[in-house]
Amino acid sequence: MDERCENLGEVQRKLDLAIENFARIGENNETRTGSNFRPTYDNLAEMSRRLFQRLLYSLPEGYAHHLCVFEAVDGGYKTELRVDMDTELDALKWVWKYEDQMRVTFR
């Protein structure tokens, strides 16, 4: 497996931790300076959470997905995934499930 790739459960754990840290940074900044930058941190955290949830929703269940790249772009995201499977037929089944679930067609 590519060194950049991580299991989606581990990515979710890291995202949750980052969101907690964003909130703490906002609280600490507000306490020290009297300023309130918290909405900026909250908005960034919420955007990250929503994009990641959209990705999770789009993936067929029952597979070990590994996230290699996840970037926010133009209101959506660009991602690179690796999926554990053994045969070409397994890969086709994943594509068919994805197409059915997301109502898209790969060409």
Side-chain angles (χ1 to χ4, degrees), residues 1-2 26 47 49 63 65 82-83 86 96 98 101:
M1 186 66 58
D2 190 322
M47 182 185 77
R49 184 188 308 273
Y63 294 89
H65 296 96
R82 302 280 198 252
V83 184
D86 297 320
W96 295 332
Y98 183 84
Q101 184 169 319

Side-chain angles (χ1 to χ4, degrees), residues 13-66:
R13 186 189 71 74
K14 287 181 177 180
L15 178 61
D16 290 342
L17 183 61
I19 288 169
E20 288 175 24
N21 287 335
F22 285 144
R24 273 195 225 113
I25 290 168
E27 289 168 4
N28 290 341
N29 191 46
E30 185 177 339
T31 302
R32 278 182 297 171
T33 65
S35 300
N36 187 357
F37 289 107
R38 186 177 180 132
T40 302
Y41 292 107
D42 287 346
N43 291 342
L44 179 58
E46 184 59 27
M47 182 185 77
S48 298
R49 184 188 308 273
R50 286 183 183 177
L51 287 175
F52 191 71
Q53 291 303 319
R54 282 174 52 190
L55 170 66
L56 291 179
Y57 172 78
S58 73
L59 299 174
E61 292 182 7
Y63 294 89
H65 296 96
H66 301 274

